[in-house]
Amino acid sequence: MGGVARVLLLLPSATYRAGDFLAAAARLEVDVVVGSEERQTLADSMGDRALVVPLADVAAATDAIAKLHARAPLDAVVAVDDQGVIVAAHAAARLGLAHSPPDGVAATRDKAAMRARFARAGVPQPEFRVVAPDAEVAAAASEVGLPCVIKPISLSASRGVIRADDLDAATAAAARICAMVDGPLLVERYLPGDEVAVEGLLRAGQLEVLAIFDKPDPLVGPFFEETLYVTPSRLAAPTLDTITHTTARAAAALGLVEGPVHAELRIDDGRASMLELAARSIGGLCSRALRFGAGISLEEVVLRHALGLPLGDLAREEPAAGVMMIPIPRAGMLERVDGQDAARAVPGVVGLEITIAPGRPLLPLPEGDRYLGFVFARAETPAAVEQALRAAHGMLQIVIVPS
């Protein structure tokens, strides 16, 4: 790579992650092209450092990126969120850059296709059925067994994911999901046990695990709103090895070979089952809980890998760390969040970001797609991190009024 490296960042308009990726690019002193669905406010002055990329139209987006590359060559195309991963894979393939196969990346955005690939490869996962929106969901629920989980095949971040304990509840859940989104539904056997998240990086098909997060709050339904992520995991070493091996098998089953992955697994009596795997790094602002080597961010790791730069020491920093995704307690309009100073003053807390502005509507899961904000903590042990996060959350008074 000669001269200053140049990266196209695909930044959906609703992403949390623009600031952290742009900061990482600045630390690396690389040129950035901002690709988004809408024309940038300063596009006239940015020239070829801004690009309109219709993320919902893969062919048109890939053509736009190829035309830019012909004028001003790119060294990497990086999607920061789910919405851009398929476009990034197609564009990288067309430009001859390092990438995972586009069909494998596309399977990460289609839960039915993902389940089918896991099944063919023998990756442990829940028993499942794929049903049409107007199909008899209760019959599929009977086949997989109760309790079951019903979800759309296309959404992420637990949107539209509902547990049903009987056949009437399964039918009601399906109707609720179909009011949110068109398309087939996935009906899965509910798996008991703890849930973990794996943050990893694929290099030439080999998985390097960067962190395994415990999720201390039980995720038993009826909705599956994530709250606490704490690392390092407190699970036993043999179980962690099983998690790593299962995640690697899942990535291989999808055909992924390059770039970040984020996986979700259920653990029961030392056995690991794949819930899903995404071809991108952890969402929201959760990556701020991670630092590697001499303090570099996860975003910097992702950009270094994409640009072929030395990665250095990928060992996570020694202290335990974690994040709380602040849940939205009920629908309405956010008036204010009191107690923020007290939350920041909790020993171990290193940051608090409220990401929804006062006066904005709030919508909880399963229909909602946002968290109220994020709390970050570091401490000597995972238990101390968890305690700090819970204490900080307890200090917040969320004032919601009818909208």
Side-chain angles (χ1 to χ4, degrees):
M1 187 187 307
V4 177
R6 184 172 167 84
V7 60
L8 170 62
L9 291 179
L10 299 180
L11 299 172
S13 56
T15 185
Y16 287 104
R17 308 198 63 197
D20 290 344
F21 266 100
L22 291 170
R27 287 192 297 270
L28 291 172
E29 298 181 334
V30 300
D31 284 343
V32 173
V33 180
V34 175
S36 57
E37 304 105 310
E38 300 176 359
R39 181 177 170 81
Q40 298 290 305
T41 304
L42 300 177
D44 290 339
S45 63
M46 294 175 71
D48 279 338
R49 290 183 292 113
L51 181 68
V52 175
V53 183
L55 296 177
D57 187 336
V58 175
T62 304
D63 285 344
I65 294 169
K67 290 176 182 176
L68 171 69
H69 180 70
R71 297 192 304 271
L74 298 165
D75 297 296
V77 180
V78 174
V80 307
D81 275 336
D82 280 318
Q83 298 95 312
V85 294
I86 299 176
V87 168
H90 278 274
R94 184 156 163 186
L95 273 51
L97 305 174
H99 66 285
S100 282
D103 67 321
V105 173
T108 69
R109 298 288 290 131
D110 181 329
K111 292 181 174 68
M114 182 185 302
R115 285 273 174 260
R117 291 199 180 205
F118 288 167
R120 288 196 296 269
V123 176
Q125 64 175 340
E127 179 74 15
F128 72 96
R129 298 289 186 275
V130 181
V131 300
D134 56 353
E136 182 55 56
V137 170
S142 295
E143 291 176 10
V144 302
L146 295 168
C148 68
V149 175
I150 304 169
K151 61 181 71 170
I153 67 169
S154 59
L155 299 181
S156 58
S158 300
R159 287 190 68 210
V161 181
I162 304 175
R163 170 175 162 163
D165 291 340
D166 57 50
L167 299 184
D168 288 342
T171 300
R176 186 168 181 176
I177 297 166
C178 289
M180 296 171 53
V181 62
D182 293 328
L185 301 178
L186 199 60
V187 181
E188 301 177 350
R189 174 75 178 181
Y190 170 79
L191 296 180
D194 298 323
E195 195 164 311
V196 298
V198 176
E199 202 64 23
L201 184 69
L202 289 166
R203 292 192 278 176
Q206 297 299 307
L207 175 68
E208 181 155 4
V209 171
L210 302 176
I212 298 178
F213 290 93
D214 290 335
K215 302 181 185 182
D217 281 343
L219 292 165
V220 296
F223 313 126
F224 295 86
E225 186 168 49
E226 296 181 304
T227 50
L228 293 174
Y229 271 42
V230 178
T231 191
S233 172
R234 286 167 275 186
L235 295 171
T239 302
L240 296 177
D241 289 342
T242 299
I243 291 168
T244 297
H245 177 67
T246 304
T247 303
R249 287 182 61 193
L254 295 171
L256 304 181
V257 293
E258 295 290 347
V261 292
H262 177 78
E264 310 280 346
L265 302 90
R266 280 272 170 153
I267 314 301
D268 185 31
D269 195 25
R271 297 184 299 271
S273 297
M274 286 301 305
L275 297 181
E276 56 188 67
L277 186 146
R280 44 88 180 158
S281 53
I282 193 169
L285 298 180
C286 297
S287 66
R288 294 183 185 179
L290 296 174
R291 289 291 183 272
F292 304 93
I296 71 171
S297 67
L298 178 62
E299 289 78 14
E300 188 171 336
V301 171
V302 171
L303 291 180
R304 283 181 175 274
H305 171 263
L307 292 164
L309 300 174
L311 292 174
D313 182 8
L314 290 182
R316 198 188 59 80
E317 280 187 337
E318 189 65 26
V323 57
M324 167 171 271
M325 293 160 272
I326 304 172
I328 292 173
R330 64 183 183 277
M333 185 184 74
L334 178 64
E335 184 168 280
R336 66 184 187 275
V337 180
D338 295 332
Q340 294 186 49
D341 289 343
R344 292 187 178 95
V346 170
V349 169
V350 296
L352 167 63
E353 295 278 347
I354 302 299
T355 51
I356 296 180
R360 301 296 297 173
L362 299 179
L363 185 64
L365 283 175
E367 286 82 8
D369 64 350
R370 309 286 287 178
Y371 287 94
L372 183 65
F374 302 82
V375 185
F376 306 92
R378 295 180 185 276
E380 289 300 312
T381 67
V385 167
E386 179 182 344
Q387 182 179 12
L389 293 172
R390 293 192 189 281
H393 183 233
M395 297 290 182
L396 300 176
Q397 297 92 48
I398 302 165
V399 181
I400 301 171
V401 297
S403 56

